[in-house]
Amino acid sequence: MIRIMKYGEVRNEEIFARTEPAVNVEAIVSEIIENVKVNGDRALLDYCRKFDKAELSSLQVSEQEIQKAVASVEPEFLDILRRAAKNIRHYHEKQKRSSFIINEENGIVIGQKIIPVDRAGLYVPGGTAAYPSTVLMDAIPAKIAGVKEVVITTPPGKDGKINPVILAAASVAGVDKIFKVGGAQAIAALAYGTESIPKVDKIVGPGNAFVAEAKKQVFGKVSIDMIAGPSEILIVADGKTNPAFAAADLLSQAEHDKMASAVLVTDSMELALAVQQELEKQLPLLIREEIARASIDNNGKIIVADSITDAIAIANEIAPEHLELCVDNPFDYLDSIRHAGSVFMGRNCPEALGDYFAGPNHTLPTSGTAKFSSPLSVDDFIKKTQYTYYTKDALAAVAQDVAYFAKKEGLTGHARSAVIRTEENK
C-alpha cells in the first residue's frame, strides 16, 4: 500500500528519497560495446540470438516488411497515429531556430548558422511493451530540424519481426532506416557503426539500465539526449480533486516499471486517504498489476502539506518528469513551477495526453534532472556554428585591445597574431 507522509513530521531525506537499482551494469555494457566495435554485425547477430532468441538473416527491416506491417495495422489506429503526428509537428514546428547575421557599419560582420546533424539514431524500447509513441516523439523533431537520415534501432521478437505498430509509426514519422537490434549493443552500433548500421551523430530515446549505461559510455563519441531513469509522476492536488482520477493518473506511470515513481502532494488528508484506498481498488484492474504494485509499494508516496503553495515547493524540490497540477485556476500557479519536465494543467489533463497525443514531447528529464535539463526538442538535432568577419580598418581599430588582453593571459602568440596584420598594413 502506498505510504502517506505529513510534510514537516518526517525527514526531507525520506520524502525526497529515490530507490536506486542495485545492479551494476557498467562492466557488462563496456564488454558489449567493445565486442560490437570489433566484430560489428556478427556481434549484433550473436546478441540477437542470445538476448532476443531471434535468428536473423538481415538486421535491416525491408521496405516490404514495413508495407506489410502498415497494412496489418487497424485503419483506426493508423488514423490516430496520423492525428497524433500532426499535433506533434504543430508543436515542434514552433521550436525551429533561425540563423542570424549582424552587419555592423564599421566593417564587422558576425553571425550564427543553424545546422542540423547529418544523421540521428533513435532507440525505441521493446520487450514488455511496444512504444509507437516514442517513434513519433523522437523522429518528428529530428525531421523538423532537417536531419538528413533518421535511423531507428529496436529489438525484434522471437520470430525476428518488429511489432507492426512500431513500423507503422516509423512510416508515419518518415523514418529512413530501421534495424532489428536492441539493448546496449544497439547503442554501440549507432555510436561506432557496423557493416549494416551507419554511425550517427546523435542518439536519443529511452531504454533500460543497459541502454542508459551504454549511452553514458558512448557520450563524447556521439551526442546523446539524456540519461533517462525510471518514469515519474507527481500530482499536486487540492481537496476538490476526484480521488479516482488521481489514483488512475498515478497508476498510469506506475505500470511502466517497478522502479517508476508515483507521488501525490496534497493539502488534504481526506484526499490522501481516499486516493490510498482508490489505488487498492484500481490496481487489480491493470494488465500490468504486478509491475504497478511494486512501483506503488516501493516508490509511491502521498505527501500531505499545509497548503498548495507548500505542495508546489515540494514539487520543485523533487523536480519530477511529469507534474500534474490538479487545482482550480492552474495558470495562477504556473509561474511558481520552476522544475518539471512537463506540466499538465487542471483537472482534465491526464499525463497520458502528453504521452500520446497533445503535441509537447514525452521524452523528458528524470531523477531530478529537470532542475537543469529540458524535454527533447528540435534543438536536440541541431548545432550552431558562429562566424566573424573584420575588414582591415576594423581589425586595426581593435588589434591593440586584443593584444593587451592576450598578454594578460600570458599568450604572446595570440597578441602577435592580432597586431602583425596591422603592422603589415602600415
Side-chain angles (χ1 to χ4, degrees):
M1 182 175 286
I2 198 166
R3 293 164 291 170
I4 297 177
M5 303 174 176
K6 184 72 172 71
Y7 187 60
E9 295 180 5
V10 294
R11 295 179 303 117
N12 278 7
E13 290 81 0
E14 188 176 352
I15 286 178
F16 302 130
R18 297 171 186 272
T19 304
E20 298 294 338
V23 60
N24 186 344
V25 301
E26 184 176 346
I28 298 170
V29 168
S30 180
E31 182 180 330
I32 290 172
I33 291 173
E34 187 60 30
N35 189 13
V36 173
K37 283 171 64 177
V38 173
N39 295 305
D41 282 358
R42 183 159 61 87
L44 297 179
L45 292 168
D46 287 345
Y47 286 129
C48 226
R49 199 174 298 115
K50 179 179 179 180
F51 297 131
D52 305 309
K53 312 302 181 188
E55 196 72 45
L56 300 180
S57 58
S58 172
L59 290 167
Q60 185 168 356
V61 177
S62 69
E63 185 59 37
Q64 184 180 9
E65 287 177 278
I66 296 171
Q67 291 176 3
K68 186 176 179 181
V70 172
S72 73
V73 173
E74 307 97 308
E76 182 184 7
F77 184 60
L78 275 176
D79 184 55
I80 291 170
L81 280 175
R82 293 184 182 112
R83 284 189 282 140
K86 181 180 178 181
N87 292 341
I88 295 165
R89 287 191 186 96
H90 178 66
Y91 179 83
H92 288 80
E93 283 281 355
K94 301 295 184 183
Q95 296 175 337
K96 290 174 70 174
R97 290 177 179 262
S98 299
S99 301
F100 66 80
I101 183 169
I102 302 171
N103 276 301
E104 303 287 0
E105 294 181 0
N106 55 357
I108 299 170
V109 179
I110 53 179
Q112 177 177 277
K113 288 175 61 180
I114 301 297
I115 307 166
V117 301
D118 288 337
R119 185 181 290 123
L122 318 180
Y123 185 83
V124 179
T128 57
Y131 297 105
S133 57
T134 296
V135 177
L136 300 182
M137 292 289 181
D138 291 357
I140 289 173
K143 284 294 183 179
I144 289 171
V147 177
K148 292 178 183 177
E149 189 172 54
V150 175
V151 175
I152 279 181
T153 58
T154 190
K158 292 179 182 179
D159 59 1
K161 297 179 180 179
I162 303 300
N163 192 308
V165 296
I166 296 291
L167 298 183
S171 177
V172 168
V175 170
D176 298 292
K177 293 179 180 177
I178 307 165
F179 295 94
K180 303 173 183 180
V181 56
Q185 58 271 27
I187 303 302
L190 291 170
Y192 292 95
T194 70
E195 298 90 331
S196 297
I197 299 178
K199 179 189 181 307
V200 303
D201 304 301
K202 180 93 180 210
I203 299 174
V204 307
N208 62 18
F210 292 90
V211 170
E213 176 62 30
K215 287 170 72 176
K216 188 186 300 182
Q217 291 192 24
V218 302
F219 176 64
K221 182 69 177 177
V222 293
S223 177
I224 63 172
D225 52 349
M226 62 188 78
I227 306 296
S231 297
E232 303 166 349
I233 186 170
L234 187 148
I235 302 174
V236 170
D238 61 22
K240 299 178 186 178
T241 299
N242 186 319
F245 296 174
D249 292 356
L250 291 171
L251 292 174
S252 74
Q253 291 305 293
E255 71 176 351
H256 266 299
D257 189 322
K258 291 180 179 181
M259 298 300 299
S261 170
V263 177
L264 169 67
V265 189
T266 179
D267 61 350
S268 167
M269 180 60 78
E270 183 180 354
L271 178 68
L273 292 167
V275 170
Q276 185 184 55
Q277 294 304 311
E278 190 65 38
L279 285 167
E280 296 305 309
K281 291 180 185 177
Q282 293 189 28
L283 271 163
L285 305 177
L286 301 180
I287 293 175
R288 295 163 68 90
E289 178 188 359
E290 181 187 357
I291 292 171
R293 166 64 70 186
S295 168
I296 289 295
D297 288 353
N298 297 328
N299 300 310
K301 301 182 183 77
I302 298 177
I303 303 168
V304 181
D306 290 334
S307 66
I308 292 299
T309 299
D310 286 347
I312 289 175
I314 294 167
N316 280 329
E317 182 62 30
I318 294 175
E321 178 186 17
H322 307 100
L323 172 59
E324 286 190 11
L325 195 52
C326 295
V327 295
D328 292 331
N329 305 314
F331 286 94
D332 291 348
Y333 297 94
L334 185 57
D335 286 347
S336 299
I337 296 169
R338 294 183 50 77
H339 306 305
S342 193
V343 183
F344 300 85
M345 310 285 288
R347 305 187 194 280
N348 303 300
C349 196
E351 181 278 332
L353 267 175
D355 275 346
Y356 303 114
F357 205 76
N361 210 280
H362 80 189
T363 301
L364 303 168
T366 62
S367 305
T369 60
K371 288 188 175 181
F372 51 81
S373 23
S374 306
L376 188 78
S377 71
V378 172
D379 284 349
D380 282 282
F381 300 99
I382 61 149
K383 56 194 181 71
K384 299 177 277 285
T385 295
Q386 58 192 31
Y387 56 89
T388 305
Y389 170 82
Y390 272 56
T391 62
K392 286 183 178 181
D393 290 343
L395 174 61
V398 300
Q400 291 302 325
D401 292 341
V402 174
Y404 196 106
F405 208 139
K407 288 173 184 176
K408 282 295 183 183
E409 294 189 347
L411 299 174
T412 54
H414 281 62
R416 185 66 182 155
S417 74
V419 299
I420 193 169
R421 287 173 173 78
T422 59
E423 291 172 353
E424 174 129 339
N425 289 343
K426 288 179 183 178

